[in-house]
Amino acid sequence: MLSVLGALIWPLQAVLVAFGVSGLLQGQDIWKSGTVAAGFILLGLLRAVLGYAAEGQLFQAADGIVSATRARMVLRESLRAGPASQGAGGLAALAGEKLEMIVPYVTRYAPAQARVMVVPLVILALAFSMSWAVGLVLLISGPLIPVFMALVGFAAKAASERQMAEIGTLNDLLVDRLAALVDIRLLDAGDALITGFAGAAERLRAQTMAVLRVAFLSSTVLELFAAIGVAMVAVYCGFALLGALEFGAYSTPLTPFEAIFLLLLAPEFYQPLRDLSTAWHDKASALAVAAEIEALESDGADAILGTGGHSGALTGPAQIAGRGLVVQRGAQAIAYPDFDIAPGETLAIMGPSGVGKTSFLLMLAGLETPREGALTVAGHPLDAQTVDGWRARLAWVPQTPHFLNASLRHNISFGGDAPVDDALAAAAVSDVVARLPQGLNTRLGETGGGLSGGEARRVTLARAFYAAPDVLLADEPTADLDDETAALVAEGLLALAAKGAALIVATHDPALAARMDRVIRLRGH
């Protein structure tokens, strides 16, 4: 509304200019009083203030939309129970790069669209009030522009969607190749990798140039019709003032005031359309991004139970009981035997790969929701109201450790004040820390750069010791480790269990399983 009001000030300024210039042409010293100049300047200042206020609110709204959408997307992905609908690179591109394409839509296209709906109609009415000939010129040439822009818009939308898809594909390709970089070097596949990247980059370049061609085409079409319309108004006004044309005005021939006023209005009649055309590709890009967001939010993926927040630990002994539990894994339904796990008990879950050992651990942590059956923890049903409190009592040792891009100290304590030395000693990882270049202040990458596989798992054990959980869930903690490292990891797990924590391990390792109090064997049928 502020943008529209600012644009509507120009006809008032045009009246003052036409009044002053026509007075000078007729020999009147109208400028001496300074009234016209002062009025023009004041209206210009008002227009500038309105424009400044409009742009401020538009940018604030755009930032709010982008921030809220990004936060909603990150929260949704962090609480997703199943795999993402697209790769990590595509999601990162959408959240970090593509979302910013909504900003020009809000700040440029939306106000331009609002001005197009009001300003040309006001100017058209003013033109018809003085000259039906000028009004007809504007009436005929004006609608042609939106018609051609709509035709161009179909191509713009398709080109932008293809460009957005290529950006996501290139990011996914980059993430996948970086993850497999060691294998690529071992296979001496660097040349093939470079060729693949070159092809993907060339496709993105072609799609980007297609978007630019459409943008330039829409601007060219608009400028052509706008230039023709302004030229026709100028020709008519000029010949009417010379007396060569005696039609087009109403009761009297066109006066200098009317001619100058119409000449000043004609470019402003097309200006909102110019602005809309300039921002037309912004709309196409924003709609393509919006379509991706809509597809992401409507993919039907289930969210994990709870919010992932801190709600205080769930009270009661760490007793776990399952009855008639069935987990759906795609087309496969995994049925588990009834079980009871006492506080402080050690338990091994064994069975062939794919039988559901990891799903069992995920279910106990509330990260997998059973399709059937009842799961009780600490005397409470495990549901959305109790799961955050239950997770506060858990520790997790994954098969593939993950870390924050922060110091080793922070990756163990997560900002806690207590020293980490006891946790390092209990996990037999003190000597590893001593060898690192900056000790506890050594910065780790997400995959634990500088640590071997066994060392990374022992660091996750130290993290568990530091948290002092009531229940420790470990997924294949000794897989792919040499006998000495596996023994160190097993000793660390049992040391934590000796402190009173229930230990539940999914494993193929018979040596580790033999040291547990009890074994549950899962079978494929």
Side-chain angles (χ1 to χ4, degrees):
M1 291 174 62
L2 292 173
S3 178
V4 171
L5 289 174
L8 290 176
I9 290 178
W10 174 249
L12 301 177
Q13 291 181 289
V15 168
L16 295 178
V17 173
F19 184 63
V21 174
S22 64
L24 288 176
L25 292 176
Q26 295 171 8
Q28 299 175 9
D29 194 7
I30 192 77
W31 293 97
K32 184 173 290 185
S33 64
T35 304
V36 172
F40 184 87
I41 292 172
L42 288 174
L43 288 173
L45 290 174
L46 177 59
R47 186 176 184 180
V49 169
L50 290 174
Y52 180 81
E55 289 185 3
Q57 292 197 29
L58 287 166
F59 275 100
Q60 185 178 3
D63 288 341
I65 291 170
V66 171
S67 298
T69 305
R70 181 179 290 125
R72 187 173 69 247
M73 183 186 307
V74 171
L75 178 62
R76 175 183 173 83
E77 292 305 312
S78 67
L79 297 178
R80 181 185 289 272
S85 58
Q86 56 179 299
L91 285 171
L94 179 59
E97 179 182 352
K98 297 181 186 179
L99 271 182
E100 295 298 329
M101 296 181 182
I102 296 176
V103 174
Y105 176 88
V106 177
T107 58
R108 293 199 296 183
Y109 179 81
Q113 185 182 37
R115 291 195 296 271
V116 163
M117 297 172 65
V118 177
V119 176
L121 297 178
V122 172
I123 293 178
L124 188 64
L126 292 173
F128 266 111
S129 69
M130 295 184 178
S131 169
W132 58 263
V134 173
L136 281 177
V137 170
L138 300 180
L139 182 62
I140 293 173
S141 61
L144 290 176
I145 297 172
V147 169
F148 279 93
M149 284 176 62
L151 295 176
V152 173
F154 291 113
K157 184 174 183 294
S160 294
E161 288 177 348
R162 289 192 294 268
Q163 184 198 25
M164 294 298 106
E166 285 296 338
I167 291 174
T169 300
L170 187 60
N171 277 272
D172 281 336
L173 182 66
L174 176 62
V175 171
D176 290 342
R177 297 305 182 268
L178 287 176
L181 198 56
V182 174
D183 297 327
I184 290 169
R185 294 189 64 180
L186 289 174
L187 295 171
D188 194 22
D191 293 339
L193 173 67
I194 293 171
T195 302
F197 268 122
E202 176 61 24
R203 289 193 299 272
L204 178 59
R205 185 201 66 80
Q207 296 300 337
T208 302
M209 293 304 299
V211 172
L212 291 176
R213 281 196 297 270
V214 173
F216 285 127
L217 175 61
S218 62
S219 298
T220 302
V221 169
L222 170 72
E223 293 298 333
L224 173 64
F225 285 105
I228 292 174
V230 173
M232 292 180 66
V233 172
V235 168
Y236 169 78
C237 291
F239 279 104
L241 288 176
L242 292 173
L245 295 178
E246 297 181 354
F247 66 89
Y250 294 107
S251 58
T252 59
L254 202 64
T255 65
F257 169 82
E258 294 172 334
I260 295 170
F261 181 65
L262 291 171
L263 281 172
L264 291 172
L265 287 183
E268 288 300 310
F269 175 80
Y270 298 103
Q271 188 59 47
L273 295 169
R274 277 195 182 94
D275 296 339
L276 192 68
S277 175
T278 302
W280 194 256
H281 64 284
D282 295 332
K283 174 193 176 184
S285 299
L287 290 181
V289 173
E292 284 196 45
I293 296 171
E294 184 179 8
L296 183 68
E297 294 183 345
S298 61
D299 62 0
D302 294 329
I304 63 172
L305 292 174
T307 63
H310 300 280
S311 59
L314 190 67
T315 59
Q319 174 82 30
I320 307 173
R323 299 292 182 268
L325 293 170
V326 177
V327 170
Q328 190 71 36
R329 274 287 185 180
Q332 180 186 12
I334 304 172
Y336 293 99
D338 294 346
F339 60 88
D340 290 279
I341 303 173
E345 185 179 5
T346 60
L347 171 68
I349 308 298
M350 300 191 72
S353 297
V355 77
K357 299 186 299 297
T358 299
S359 294
F360 183 82
L361 298 183
L362 292 172
M363 181 175 60
L364 297 186
L367 301 174
E368 184 99 40
T369 304
R371 188 189 72 186
E372 300 175 14
L375 181 60
T376 304
V377 295
H380 304 272
L382 188 62
D383 54 26
Q385 284 70 43
T386 60
V387 69
D388 288 324
W390 172 242
R391 289 198 196 107
R393 304 178 65 175
L394 302 181
W396 177 276
V397 177
Q399 183 175 356
T400 303
H402 289 276
F403 300 95
L404 300 175
N405 188 19
S407 68
L408 178 59
R409 185 193 310 274
H410 185 83
N411 271 283
I412 294 174
S413 67
F414 291 109
D417 297 328
V420 299
D421 298 335
D422 292 343
L424 294 174
V429 78
S430 299
D431 57 335
V432 176
V433 176
R435 291 198 303 268
L436 293 174
Q438 293 178 296
L440 284 171
N441 295 321
T442 301
R443 198 172 188 86
L444 302 178
E446 292 182 6
T447 56
L451 299 175
S452 68
E455 292 169 346
R457 289 188 197 173
R458 280 186 279 163
V459 169
T460 61
L461 271 178
R463 178 189 292 170
F465 271 106
Y466 186 89
D470 293 325
V471 178
L472 173 61
L473 306 175
D475 187 12
E476 301 284 3
T478 58
D480 305 321
L481 299 181
D482 59 80
D483 292 341
E484 181 180 355
T485 304
L488 287 173
V489 171
E491 290 296 336
L493 291 170
L494 292 170
L496 187 58
K499 290 180 175 290
L503 174 61
I504 305 169
V505 179
T507 183
H508 287 98
D509 185 354
L512 178 61
R515 303 181 69 175
M516 300 292 108
D517 297 335
R518 188 155 61 100
V519 177
I520 295 179
R521 298 184 182 275
L522 304 179
R523 295 178 173 83
H525 59 79

